[in-house]
Amino acid sequence: MAECPLGTTPNNMTSQCDGCAQGCAVCNVTNNAECIRCEPGLALLDTSCVAECISGYKKSWDGSVCQLRAY
C-alpha cells in the first residue's frame, strides 16, 4: 500500500487510508482516534487536538502541545 497523506492512517484490512480525528495531522497507526501531531494552530492535549489548552495547562513555545503549568 502506498503511503497515506497527512490526516490519515493506513488500514491494512481494507488497503485504504482512514481519516484521523478532526484537526489531527498524524494519528496512531493502530488507533486513528489517538492523535500524535495536530494541524497548525491546534495543540495536542493527551491524544486530542484543541484550539485552547484547559485550565492548568499552557501551550508550548511553538504552540503545538498543551503542557502542564509549572508553578
Side-chain angles (χ1 to χ4, degrees):
M1 181 173 165
E3 190 172 315
C4 291
L6 283 179
T8 64
T9 186
N11 182 328
N12 293 329
M13 300 287 284
T14 64
S15 295
Q16 295 183 351
C17 297
D18 291 339
C20 297
Q22 185 173 359
C24 184
V26 178
C27 55
N28 186 325
V29 174
T30 59
N31 182 355
N32 65 343
E34 293 181 1
C35 192
I36 297 170
R37 189 174 74 223
C38 299
E39 293 177 351
L42 299 176
L44 186 65
L45 177 64
D46 294 322
T47 59
S48 300
C49 297
V50 295
E52 296 296 327
C53 298
I54 60 173
S55 179
Y57 288 80
K58 65 176 184 170
K59 284 189 178 181
S60 60
W61 64 271
D62 66 355
S64 65
V65 179
C66 290
Q67 300 173 323
L68 191 58
R69 286 188 185 268
Y71 294 98

